[in-house]
Amino acid sequence: MNMNRKSERRGLIKKLKSEGYLSNERVIEAMLKVPREEFITEYQKSYAYADRPLPIGEGQTISAPHMVAIMTEHLDVEEDHKVLEIGAGSGYQAAILAEIANKGKIYTVERIPELAKKAEENLNRIGYKNIEIIISDGSKGYKKEAPYDRIIVTAGAPRIPESLLKQLKDPGKLLIPVGGKMFQELKLVEKKKGEFSTKNLGGCVFVPLIGDEGW
Ligand code: SAH
């Protein structure tokens, strides 16, 4: 069974590469390493390596692998980075980031305690030591450990939260889906020498970012 999952995982990564979603070696290696089946319910396990989002409970979803690939490639994480993720969900994206920033640290914020607990169980089962899960409203970021080299928001926001811009290092990068509740545009914000610049990376569909600086 393990062997099957492993070859399914290899197959998915090969497909994502051929479709042009994956090219960075560190991202490829991370996606080859992290067992996506460990982050979804028993009932969904046979779909672990289909390229689609899956329900994880509480009305939330784990993103489709191609979206994780796109976001992780653009986030451009380095080995020693301190990364903030908003929307821990299942913990899968945090695991991918932890593989890349293996000498740094990942802080991941989740507003739904039941999901945070499950994410923690998933990450502990696999054995990640450089990830901290925080139960809180991440639309305001996580001031305690700021500033961050990278910030990734995996829920859709009505606008870019001011707090996240403030908690970004200089230089630093922030990835965030911005738009309506049903459909957003993925934005990459770069901070350099005190200036911010924003690039649109295309359309995406995320569950809403709910909170003080969200919906
Ligand atoms: N990155 C996750 C998927 C995220 S789904 C994974 O790899 O599985 C989006 C998550 O954002 C949901 O779990 C939702 O509860 C959470 N969320 C929404 N608004 C939030 C907020 N203000 N602060 C923290 N988490 C939030």
mmCIF file of all heavy atoms in Angstrom, residues 39 56-63 68 85-95 108-112 115-116 134-140 152-156 206-214, ligand 1:
data_model
loop_
_atom_site.group_PDB
_atom_site.id
_atom_site.type_symbol
_atom_site.label_atom_id
_atom_site.label_comp_id
_atom_site.label_asym_id
_atom_site.label_seq_id
_atom_site.Cartn_x
_atom_site.Cartn_y
_atom_site.Cartn_z
ATOM 1 N N PHE A 39 -2.847 13.725 5.348
ATOM 2 C CA PHE A 39 -3.492 14.990 5.710
ATOM 3 C C PHE A 39 -4.981 15.006 5.377
ATOM 4 O O PHE A 39 -5.628 16.038 5.491
ATOM 5 C CB PHE A 39 -2.776 16.153 5.007
ATOM 6 C CG PHE A 39 -1.362 16.325 5.488
ATOM 7 C CD1 PHE A 39 -0.316 15.601 4.912
ATOM 8 C CD2 PHE A 39 -1.073 17.169 6.553
ATOM 9 C CE1 PHE A 39 0.979 15.735 5.375
ATOM 10 C CE2 PHE A 39 0.220 17.312 7.014
ATOM 11 C CZ PHE A 39 1.252 16.592 6.428
ATOM 12 N N ILE A 56 -11.745 18.696 4.258
ATOM 13 C CA ILE A 56 -10.974 18.267 5.440
ATOM 14 C C ILE A 56 -11.792 18.442 6.717
ATOM 15 O O ILE A 56 -11.262 18.358 7.815
ATOM 16 C CB ILE A 56 -9.628 19.039 5.562
ATOM 17 C CG1 ILE A 56 -9.854 20.563 5.539
ATOM 18 C CG2 ILE A 56 -8.667 18.612 4.466
ATOM 19 C CD1 ILE A 56 -8.628 21.384 5.879
ATOM 20 N N GLY A 57 -13.107 18.710 6.574
ATOM 21 C CA GLY A 57 -13.962 18.926 7.740
ATOM 22 C C GLY A 57 -14.183 20.398 8.006
ATOM 23 O O GLY A 57 -13.444 21.244 7.488
ATOM 24 N N GLU A 58 -15.227 20.714 8.790
ATOM 25 C CA GLU A 58 -15.561 22.097 9.175
ATOM 26 C C GLU A 58 -15.800 22.992 7.957
ATOM 27 O O GLU A 58 -15.608 24.208 8.030
ATOM 28 C CB GLU A 58 -14.453 22.730 10.055
ATOM 29 C CG GLU A 58 -13.933 21.864 11.196
ATOM 30 C CD GLU A 58 -14.968 21.614 12.280
ATOM 31 O OE1 GLU A 58 -15.821 22.484 12.519
ATOM 32 O OE2 GLU A 58 -14.927 20.516 12.872
ATOM 33 N N GLY A 59 -16.180 22.385 6.822
ATOM 34 C CA GLY A 59 -16.462 23.168 5.621
ATOM 35 C C GLY A 59 -15.214 23.692 4.912
ATOM 36 O O GLY A 59 -15.312 24.556 4.039
ATOM 37 N N GLN A 60 -14.035 23.186 5.291
ATOM 38 C CA GLN A 60 -12.777 23.681 4.717
ATOM 39 C C GLN A 60 -12.183 22.644 3.763
ATOM 40 O O GLN A 60 -12.632 21.501 3.731
ATOM 41 C CB GLN A 60 -11.793 24.023 5.839
ATOM 42 C CG GLN A 60 -12.370 24.944 6.901
ATOM 43 C CD GLN A 60 -12.885 26.259 6.342
ATOM 44 O OE1 GLN A 60 -12.256 26.856 5.486
ATOM 45 N NE2 GLN A 60 -14.040 26.710 6.815
ATOM 46 N N THR A 61 -11.164 23.057 3.000
ATOM 47 C CA THR A 61 -10.560 22.142 2.029
ATOM 48 C C THR A 61 -9.032 22.215 2.037
ATOM 49 O O THR A 61 -8.453 23.251 2.368
ATOM 50 C CB THR A 61 -11.011 22.483 0.581
ATOM 51 O OG1 THR A 61 -10.790 23.876 0.351
ATOM 52 C CG2 THR A 61 -12.478 22.175 0.353
ATOM 53 N N ILE A 62 -8.417 21.103 1.665
ATOM 54 C CA ILE A 62 -6.976 21.095 1.377
ATOM 55 C C ILE A 62 -6.882 21.486 -0.096
ATOM 56 O O ILE A 62 -7.653 20.997 -0.923
ATOM 57 C CB ILE A 62 -6.363 19.704 1.668
ATOM 58 C CG1 ILE A 62 -4.870 19.635 1.326
ATOM 59 C CG2 ILE A 62 -7.094 18.580 0.949
ATOM 60 C CD1 ILE A 62 -4.200 18.303 1.767
ATOM 61 N N SER A 63 -5.972 22.396 -0.434
ATOM 62 C CA SER A 63 -5.862 22.900 -1.808
ATOM 63 C C SER A 63 -5.463 21.786 -2.774
ATOM 64 O O SER A 63 -4.836 20.803 -2.380
ATOM 65 C CB SER A 63 -4.804 24.000 -1.888
ATOM 66 O OG SER A 63 -5.111 25.046 -1.006
ATOM 67 N N VAL A 68 -0.848 24.224 -4.649
ATOM 68 C CA VAL A 68 0.269 24.170 -3.691
ATOM 69 C C VAL A 68 1.590 24.368 -4.445
ATOM 70 O O VAL A 68 2.476 25.103 -4.000
ATOM 71 C CB VAL A 68 0.270 22.817 -2.923
ATOM 72 C CG1 VAL A 68 1.512 22.683 -2.057
ATOM 73 C CG2 VAL A 68 -0.994 22.696 -2.072
ATOM 74 N N GLU A 85 2.312 31.143 7.753
ATOM 75 C CA GLU A 85 1.190 30.715 6.914
ATOM 76 C C GLU A 85 -0.107 31.068 7.634
ATOM 77 O O GLU A 85 -0.228 30.845 8.833
ATOM 78 C CB GLU A 85 1.218 29.203 6.659
ATOM 79 C CG GLU A 85 0.033 28.766 5.780
ATOM 80 C CD GLU A 85 -0.194 27.257 5.680
ATOM 81 O OE1 GLU A 85 0.232 26.513 6.576
ATOM 82 O OE2 GLU A 85 -0.826 26.830 4.708
ATOM 83 N N ILE A 86 -1.067 31.616 6.899
ATOM 84 C CA ILE A 86 -2.390 31.864 7.476
ATOM 85 C C ILE A 86 -3.352 30.863 6.848
ATOM 86 O O ILE A 86 -3.530 30.851 5.629
ATOM 87 C CB ILE A 86 -2.875 33.313 7.194
ATOM 88 C CG1 ILE A 86 -1.798 34.355 7.559
ATOM 89 C CG2 ILE A 86 -4.187 33.580 7.936
ATOM 90 C CD1 ILE A 86 -1.329 34.331 8.974
ATOM 91 N N GLY A 87 -3.956 30.022 7.688
ATOM 92 C CA GLY A 87 -4.849 28.967 7.212
ATOM 93 C C GLY A 87 -4.161 27.617 7.211
ATOM 94 O O GLY A 87 -3.861 27.052 6.163
ATOM 95 N N ALA A 88 -3.885 27.088 8.409
ATOM 96 C CA ALA A 88 -3.159 25.802 8.517
ATOM 97 C C ALA A 88 -3.946 24.666 7.886
ATOM 98 O O ALA A 88 -3.364 23.771 7.283
ATOM 99 C CB ALA A 88 -2.866 25.482 9.975
ATOM 100 N N GLY A 89 -5.281 24.694 8.033
ATOM 101 C CA GLY A 89 -6.128 23.634 7.473
ATOM 102 C C GLY A 89 -5.658 22.265 7.922
ATOM 103 O O GLY A 89 -5.618 21.970 9.111
ATOM 104 N N SER A 90 -5.238 21.442 6.967
ATOM 105 C CA SER A 90 -4.777 20.076 7.270
ATOM 106 C C SER A 90 -3.323 20.025 7.728
ATOM 107 O O SER A 90 -2.869 19.025 8.264
ATOM 108 C CB SER A 90 -4.904 19.214 6.017
ATOM 109 O OG SER A 90 -3.972 19.660 5.034
ATOM 110 N N GLY A 91 -2.569 21.096 7.445
ATOM 111 C CA GLY A 91 -1.139 21.113 7.763
ATOM 112 C C GLY A 91 -0.257 20.741 6.573
ATOM 113 O O GLY A 91 0.966 20.808 6.652
ATOM 114 N N TYR A 92 -0.872 20.358 5.453
ATOM 115 C CA TYR A 92 -0.088 19.890 4.293
ATOM 116 C C TYR A 92 0.852 20.963 3.732
ATOM 117 O O TYR A 92 2.042 20.720 3.546
ATOM 118 C CB TYR A 92 -1.025 19.375 3.193
ATOM 119 C CG TYR A 92 -0.296 18.944 1.942
ATOM 120 C CD1 TYR A 92 0.447 17.764 1.915
ATOM 121 C CD2 TYR A 92 -0.322 19.725 0.788
ATOM 122 C CE1 TYR A 92 1.127 17.364 0.768
ATOM 123 C CE2 TYR A 92 0.358 19.332 -0.365
ATOM 124 C CZ TYR A 92 1.088 18.154 -0.369
ATOM 125 O OH TYR A 92 1.762 17.776 -1.498
ATOM 126 N N GLN A 93 0.314 22.152 3.477
ATOM 127 C CA GLN A 93 1.146 23.229 2.935
ATOM 128 C C GLN A 93 2.294 23.572 3.900
ATOM 129 O O GLN A 93 3.427 23.811 3.470
ATOM 130 C CB GLN A 93 0.299 24.472 2.639
ATOM 131 C CG GLN A 93 1.079 25.698 2.193
ATOM 132 C CD GLN A 93 1.577 25.608 0.757
ATOM 133 O OE1 GLN A 93 0.811 25.626 -0.195
ATOM 134 N NE2 GLN A 93 2.902 25.500 0.590
ATOM 135 N N ALA A 94 1.998 23.544 5.190
ATOM 136 C CA ALA A 94 3.037 23.829 6.196
ATOM 137 C C ALA A 94 4.149 22.783 6.117
ATOM 138 O O ALA A 94 5.337 23.109 6.239
ATOM 139 C CB ALA A 94 2.422 23.857 7.596
ATOM 140 N N ALA A 95 3.774 21.522 5.891
ATOM 141 C CA ALA A 95 4.769 20.447 5.783
ATOM 142 C C ALA A 95 5.674 20.673 4.569
ATOM 143 O O ALA A 95 6.898 20.510 4.658
ATOM 144 C CB ALA A 95 4.073 19.091 5.689
ATOM 145 N N THR A 108 2.186 28.552 11.587
ATOM 146 C CA THR A 108 0.962 28.463 10.805
ATOM 147 C C THR A 108 -0.252 28.706 11.693
ATOM 148 O O THR A 108 -0.380 28.119 12.759
ATOM 149 C CB THR A 108 0.875 27.145 10.001
ATOM 150 O OG1 THR A 108 -0.310 27.164 9.194
ATOM 151 C CG2 THR A 108 0.884 25.901 10.867
ATOM 152 N N VAL A 109 -1.108 29.648 11.261
ATOM 153 C CA VAL A 109 -2.223 30.099 12.084
ATOM 154 C C VAL A 109 -3.538 29.513 11.551
ATOM 155 O O VAL A 109 -3.781 29.526 10.348
ATOM 156 C CB VAL A 109 -2.310 31.650 12.081
ATOM 157 C CG1 VAL A 109 -3.401 32.137 13.042
ATOM 158 C CG2 VAL A 109 -0.968 32.260 12.458
ATOM 159 N N GLU A 110 -4.373 29.009 12.463
ATOM 160 C CA GLU A 110 -5.671 28.447 12.084
ATOM 161 C C GLU A 110 -6.732 28.959 13.063
ATOM 162 O O GLU A 110 -6.534 28.933 14.253
ATOM 163 C CB GLU A 110 -5.586 26.916 12.100
ATOM 164 C CG GLU A 110 -6.896 26.180 11.865
ATOM 165 C CD GLU A 110 -7.622 26.596 10.580
ATOM 166 O OE1 GLU A 110 -7.013 26.550 9.494
ATOM 167 O OE2 GLU A 110 -8.798 26.990 10.670
ATOM 168 N N ARG A 111 -7.887 29.391 12.524
ATOM 169 C CA ARG A 111 -8.918 29.947 13.413
ATOM 170 C C ARG A 111 -9.852 28.869 13.983
ATOM 171 O O ARG A 111 -10.512 29.088 14.987
ATOM 172 C CB ARG A 111 -9.728 31.045 12.722
ATOM 173 C CG ARG A 111 -10.498 30.607 11.510
ATOM 174 C CD ARG A 111 -11.298 31.761 10.931
ATOM 175 N NE ARG A 111 -12.506 32.024 11.690
ATOM 176 C CZ ARG A 111 -13.670 31.396 11.493
ATOM 177 N NH1 ARG A 111 -13.780 30.474 10.573
ATOM 178 N NH2 ARG A 111 -14.713 31.706 12.225
ATOM 179 N N ILE A 112 -9.929 27.704 13.327
ATOM 180 C CA ILE A 112 -10.833 26.656 13.810
ATOM 181 C C ILE A 112 -10.041 25.638 14.653
ATOM 182 O O ILE A 112 -9.203 24.894 14.121
ATOM 183 C CB ILE A 112 -11.541 25.946 12.630
ATOM 184 C CG1 ILE A 112 -12.311 26.978 11.793
ATOM 185 C CG2 ILE A 112 -12.463 24.837 13.129
ATOM 186 C CD1 ILE A 112 -13.010 26.421 10.552
ATOM 187 N N LEU A 115 -9.604 21.951 13.552
ATOM 188 C CA LEU A 115 -8.684 21.740 12.431
ATOM 189 C C LEU A 115 -7.232 21.871 12.892
ATOM 190 O O LEU A 115 -6.365 21.103 12.467
ATOM 191 C CB LEU A 115 -8.974 22.723 11.290
ATOM 192 C CG LEU A 115 -10.273 22.500 10.510
ATOM 193 C CD1 LEU A 115 -10.404 23.547 9.408
ATOM 194 C CD2 LEU A 115 -10.336 21.100 9.910
ATOM 195 N N ALA A 116 -6.979 22.852 13.754
ATOM 196 C CA ALA A 116 -5.619 23.050 14.272
ATOM 197 C C ALA A 116 -5.142 21.789 14.986
ATOM 198 O O ALA A 116 -3.990 21.358 14.817
ATOM 199 C CB ALA A 116 -5.592 24.242 15.222
ATOM 200 N N ILE A 134 -0.676 27.877 15.582
ATOM 201 C CA ILE A 134 -1.254 28.863 16.491
ATOM 202 C C ILE A 134 -2.749 28.971 16.208
ATOM 203 O O ILE A 134 -3.147 29.111 15.052
ATOM 204 C CB ILE A 134 -0.587 30.252 16.296
ATOM 205 C CG1 ILE A 134 0.916 30.152 16.578
ATOM 206 C CG2 ILE A 134 -1.223 31.322 17.175
ATOM 207 C CD1 ILE A 134 1.777 30.304 15.382
ATOM 208 N N ILE A 135 -3.569 28.882 17.251
ATOM 209 C CA ILE A 135 -5.014 29.048 17.068
ATOM 210 C C ILE A 135 -5.345 30.514 17.304
ATOM 211 O O ILE A 135 -5.200 31.015 18.423
ATOM 212 C CB ILE A 135 -5.821 28.161 18.043
ATOM 213 C CG1 ILE A 135 -5.459 26.687 17.828
ATOM 214 C CG2 ILE A 135 -7.330 28.382 17.860
ATOM 215 C CD1 ILE A 135 -6.056 25.739 18.843
ATOM 216 N N SER A 136 -5.727 31.196 16.211
ATOM 217 C CA SER A 136 -5.956 32.633 16.324
ATOM 218 C C SER A 136 -6.526 33.167 15.010
ATOM 219 O O SER A 136 -6.641 32.436 14.035
ATOM 220 C CB SER A 136 -4.588 33.278 16.631
ATOM 221 O OG SER A 136 -4.603 34.649 16.440
ATOM 222 N N ASP A 137 -6.889 34.444 15.009
ATOM 223 C CA ASP A 137 -7.327 35.097 13.773
ATOM 224 C C ASP A 137 -6.089 35.572 13.025
ATOM 225 O O ASP A 137 -5.493 36.588 13.367
ATOM 226 C CB ASP A 137 -8.248 36.274 14.118
ATOM 227 C CG ASP A 137 -8.544 37.135 12.895
ATOM 228 O OD1 ASP A 137 -8.214 36.712 11.756
ATOM 229 O OD2 ASP A 137 -9.109 38.231 13.075
ATOM 230 N N GLY A 138 -5.724 34.831 12.005
ATOM 231 C CA GLY A 138 -4.507 35.138 11.250
ATOM 232 C C GLY A 138 -4.644 36.295 10.276
ATOM 233 O O GLY A 138 -3.656 36.701 9.662
ATOM 234 N N SER A 139 -5.859 36.850 10.125
ATOM 235 C CA SER A 139 -5.976 38.011 9.231
ATOM 236 C C SER A 139 -5.159 39.178 9.791
ATOM 237 O O SER A 139 -4.796 40.096 9.067
ATOM 238 C CB SER A 139 -7.445 38.407 9.024
ATOM 239 O OG SER A 139 -7.978 38.988 10.197
ATOM 240 N N LYS A 140 -4.847 39.097 11.095
ATOM 241 C CA LYS A 140 -4.020 40.118 11.739
ATOM 242 C C LYS A 140 -2.555 39.679 11.815
ATOM 243 O O LYS A 140 -1.733 40.320 12.461
ATOM 244 C CB LYS A 140 -4.533 40.373 13.161
ATOM 245 C CG LYS A 140 -5.942 40.939 13.195
ATOM 246 C CD LYS A 140 -6.400 41.235 14.608
ATOM 247 C CE LYS A 140 -6.751 39.961 15.355
ATOM 248 N NZ LYS A 140 -7.462 40.225 16.629
ATOM 249 N N ILE A 152 2.417 33.451 3.578
ATOM 250 C CA ILE A 152 1.518 32.835 2.603
ATOM 251 C C ILE A 152 0.134 32.702 3.228
ATOM 252 O O ILE A 152 -0.003 32.211 4.340
ATOM 253 C CB ILE A 152 2.070 31.462 2.125
ATOM 254 C CG1 ILE A 152 1.078 30.748 1.196
ATOM 255 C CG2 ILE A 152 2.446 30.543 3.280
ATOM 256 C CD1 ILE A 152 1.628 29.468 0.553
ATOM 257 N N VAL A 153 -0.859 33.209 2.519
ATOM 258 C CA VAL A 153 -2.234 33.138 2.998
ATOM 259 C C VAL A 153 -2.967 32.133 2.120
ATOM 260 O O VAL A 153 -3.002 32.285 0.899
ATOM 261 C CB VAL A 153 -2.928 34.519 2.932
ATOM 262 C CG1 VAL A 153 -4.338 34.446 3.498
ATOM 263 C CG2 VAL A 153 -2.105 35.567 3.680
ATOM 264 N N THR A 154 -3.546 31.084 2.736
ATOM 265 C CA THR A 154 -4.209 30.053 1.938
ATOM 266 C C THR A 154 -5.724 30.129 2.120
ATOM 267 O O THR A 154 -6.412 29.110 2.154
ATOM 268 C CB THR A 154 -3.666 28.648 2.265
ATOM 269 O OG1 THR A 154 -3.866 28.377 3.652
ATOM 270 C CG2 THR A 154 -2.192 28.538 1.948
ATOM 271 N N ALA A 155 -6.229 31.371 2.242
ATOM 272 C CA ALA A 155 -7.671 31.634 2.270
ATOM 273 C C ALA A 155 -7.861 32.957 1.531
ATOM 274 O O ALA A 155 -6.935 33.781 1.470
ATOM 275 C CB ALA A 155 -8.173 31.718 3.710
ATOM 276 N N GLY A 156 -9.055 33.153 0.958
ATOM 277 C CA GLY A 156 -9.286 34.326 0.122
ATOM 278 C C GLY A 156 -9.659 35.562 0.926
ATOM 279 O O GLY A 156 -10.589 35.545 1.724
ATOM 280 N N PHE A 206 -10.397 29.973 -3.267
ATOM 281 C CA PHE A 206 -10.082 29.598 -1.887
ATOM 282 C C PHE A 206 -11.291 29.843 -0.991
ATOM 283 O O PHE A 206 -12.135 30.677 -1.317
ATOM 284 C CB PHE A 206 -8.902 30.431 -1.361
ATOM 285 C CG PHE A 206 -7.552 29.922 -1.819
ATOM 286 C CD1 PHE A 206 -7.041 30.304 -3.046
ATOM 287 C CD2 PHE A 206 -6.814 29.055 -1.037
ATOM 288 C CE1 PHE A 206 -5.809 29.831 -3.488
ATOM 289 C CE2 PHE A 206 -5.590 28.574 -1.471
ATOM 290 C CZ PHE A 206 -5.077 28.963 -2.691
ATOM 291 N N VAL A 207 -11.348 29.153 0.135
ATOM 292 C CA VAL A 207 -12.376 29.454 1.136
ATOM 293 C C VAL A 207 -12.040 30.831 1.716
ATOM 294 O O VAL A 207 -10.889 31.258 1.674
ATOM 295 C CB VAL A 207 -12.425 28.386 2.263
ATOM 296 C CG1 VAL A 207 -12.826 27.026 1.712
ATOM 297 C CG2 VAL A 207 -11.096 28.295 3.000
ATOM 298 N N PRO A 208 -13.048 31.543 2.239
ATOM 299 C CA PRO A 208 -12.797 32.911 2.707
ATOM 300 C C PRO A 208 -11.910 33.011 3.954
ATOM 301 O O PRO A 208 -11.974 32.150 4.833
ATOM 302 C CB PRO A 208 -14.196 33.467 3.008
ATOM 303 C CG PRO A 208 -15.174 32.391 2.751
ATOM 304 C CD PRO A 208 -14.465 31.168 2.292
ATOM 305 N N LEU A 209 -11.112 34.073 3.972
ATOM 306 C CA LEU A 209 -10.331 34.442 5.157
ATOM 307 C C LEU A 209 -11.298 35.205 6.059
ATOM 308 O O LEU A 209 -11.751 36.302 5.700
ATOM 309 C CB LEU A 209 -9.154 35.335 4.753
ATOM 310 C CG LEU A 209 -8.275 35.842 5.889
ATOM 311 C CD1 LEU A 209 -7.332 34.737 6.382
ATOM 312 C CD2 LEU A 209 -7.442 37.048 5.449
ATOM 313 N N ILE A 210 -11.595 34.610 7.219
ATOM 314 C CA ILE A 210 -12.600 35.219 8.095
ATOM 315 C C ILE A 210 -11.917 35.851 9.297
ATOM 316 O O ILE A 210 -11.148 35.182 9.996
ATOM 317 C CB ILE A 210 -13.615 34.144 8.557
ATOM 318 C CG1 ILE A 210 -14.377 33.637 7.324
ATOM 319 C CG2 ILE A 210 -14.573 34.702 9.607
ATOM 320 C CD1 ILE A 210 -15.182 32.402 7.562
ATOM 321 N N GLY A 211 -12.150 37.144 9.511
ATOM 322 C CA GLY A 211 -11.526 37.779 10.666
ATOM 323 C C GLY A 211 -11.507 39.289 10.562
ATOM 324 O O GLY A 211 -12.047 39.864 9.616
ATOM 325 N N ASP A 212 -10.846 39.912 11.529
ATOM 326 C CA ASP A 212 -10.795 41.374 11.652
ATOM 327 C C ASP A 212 -10.335 42.059 10.370
ATOM 328 O O ASP A 212 -10.881 43.085 9.987
ATOM 329 C CB ASP A 212 -9.821 41.763 12.766
ATOM 330 C CG ASP A 212 -10.477 41.676 14.127
ATOM 331 O OD1 ASP A 212 -11.645 41.210 14.182
ATOM 332 O OD2 ASP A 212 -9.826 42.044 15.125
ATOM 333 N N GLU A 213 -9.318 41.504 9.715
ATOM 334 C CA GLU A 213 -8.824 42.115 8.485
ATOM 335 C C GLU A 213 -9.162 41.253 7.259
ATOM 336 O O GLU A 213 -8.536 41.360 6.217
ATOM 337 C CB GLU A 213 -7.317 42.387 8.594
ATOM 338 C CG GLU A 213 -7.009 43.429 9.671
ATOM 339 C CD GLU A 213 -5.541 43.839 9.706
ATOM 340 O OE1 GLU A 213 -4.974 44.145 8.662
ATOM 341 O OE2 GLU A 213 -4.979 43.855 10.815
ATOM 342 N N GLY A 214 -10.173 40.377 7.442
ATOM 343 C CA GLY A 214 -10.665 39.549 6.340
ATOM 344 C C GLY A 214 -12.149 39.820 6.146
ATOM 345 O O GLY A 214 -12.589 40.968 6.247
HETATM 346 N N1 SAH B 1 -3.214 25.365 3.763
HETATM 347 C C1 SAH B 1 -4.228 24.389 4.103
HETATM 348 C C2 SAH B 1 -5.558 24.631 3.419
HETATM 349 C C3 SAH B 1 -6.186 25.882 3.856
HETATM 350 S S1 SAH B 1 -7.941 25.965 3.775
HETATM 351 C C4 SAH B 1 -3.752 22.989 3.835
HETATM 352 O O1 SAH B 1 -2.621 22.792 3.360
HETATM 353 O O2 SAH B 1 -4.501 22.051 4.144
HETATM 354 C C5 SAH B 1 -8.088 27.548 4.524
HETATM 355 C C6 SAH B 1 -8.005 27.527 6.018
HETATM 356 O O3 SAH B 1 -7.974 28.870 6.461
HETATM 357 C C7 SAH B 1 -9.210 26.891 6.701
HETATM 358 O O4 SAH B 1 -8.781 25.860 7.540
HETATM 359 C C8 SAH B 1 -9.829 28.041 7.487
HETATM 360 O O5 SAH B 1 -10.390 27.655 8.725
HETATM 361 C C9 SAH B 1 -8.633 28.942 7.689
HETATM 362 N N2 SAH B 1 -8.920 30.354 7.992
HETATM 363 C C10 SAH B 1 -9.870 31.163 7.465
HETATM 364 N N3 SAH B 1 -9.777 32.397 7.991
HETATM 365 C C11 SAH B 1 -8.736 32.365 8.870
HETATM 366 C C12 SAH B 1 -8.128 33.328 9.731
HETATM 367 N N4 SAH B 1 -8.564 34.608 9.810
HETATM 368 N N5 SAH B 1 -7.089 32.947 10.493
HETATM 369 C C13 SAH B 1 -6.608 31.672 10.443
HETATM 370 N N6 SAH B 1 -7.128 30.715 9.654
HETATM 371 C C14 SAH B 1 -8.187 31.063 8.868
#
